[in-house]
Amino acid sequence: MFDIGAMELLVIVIVAVIVIGPKDMPLAMRAAGRWIGKVRKVSAHFRSGIDSIVREAELEDMEKKWKARNEEIMRQHPTAAEDTANSASADAAAVNMAGPPEAGTTNTSPIDEPVEQAVIAEPAAPPPPPADAPDKA
């Protein structure tokens, strides 16, 4: 940023030691460190604010592009949107027309049918050893 080389830094340190003095140098360095820290915090805050403004502007531009593209697609294919809307309303109408089941009838949907319970077989006993096998005792 400031492009300070080794020679320039050495000259600044020598002038500071002569002007401030070796006794007050640690105090001056602490004060300079505090000021540098404050400047960094302010610049970071400023930079984050600028970044958020840029992000918001980019989002607005993208939303405008998406909206324009969506309108263009809707102009090119108007029947697709109408078909989707019509099929959704037709499905809703079919459900409403069916109504509740009449009294005395049973609902025989596959979901309501009883489920047979599975029978879990017990493990079989191990087979007896062959008669001609030697006894291990």
Side-chain angles (χ1 to χ4, degrees):
M1 185 170 150
F2 287 111
D3 194 30
I4 297 176
M7 290 303 293
E8 290 91 2
L9 192 58
L10 183 62
V11 170
I12 291 171
V13 169
I14 291 172
V15 170
V17 169
I18 293 172
V19 171
I20 297 173
K23 290 182 181 177
D24 294 330
M25 190 59 132
L27 183 63
M29 293 301 287
R30 277 191 221 111
R34 285 189 198 115
W35 278 100
I36 291 171
K38 287 180 183 179
V39 168
R40 284 186 177 179
K41 284 180 186 177
V42 168
S43 67
H45 182 69
F46 180 74
R47 189 178 316 124
S48 68
I50 294 295
D51 288 344
S52 67
I53 290 171
V54 168
R55 260 186 263 122
E56 289 175 8
E58 289 175 351
L59 283 175
E60 289 174 2
D61 289 343
M62 290 304 295
E63 285 176 355
K64 288 177 185 176
K65 288 179 184 177
W66 290 335
K67 186 175 180 181
R69 180 66 178 144
N70 189 27
E71 289 174 357
E72 180 182 332
I73 291 171
M74 295 304 286
R75 280 193 306 269
Q76 291 175 355
H77 307 285
T79 58
E82 291 172 3
D83 291 345
T84 304
N86 289 339
S87 68
S89 63
D91 291 342
V95 169
N96 288 337
M97 290 175 69
E102 296 177 16
T105 61
T106 58
N107 188 359
T108 58
S109 70
I111 296 173
D112 294 336
E113 293 178 7
V115 177
E116 294 180 22
Q117 294 191 2
V119 176
I120 300 174
E122 303 241 351
D132 58 342
D135 210 11
K136 296 180 184 178

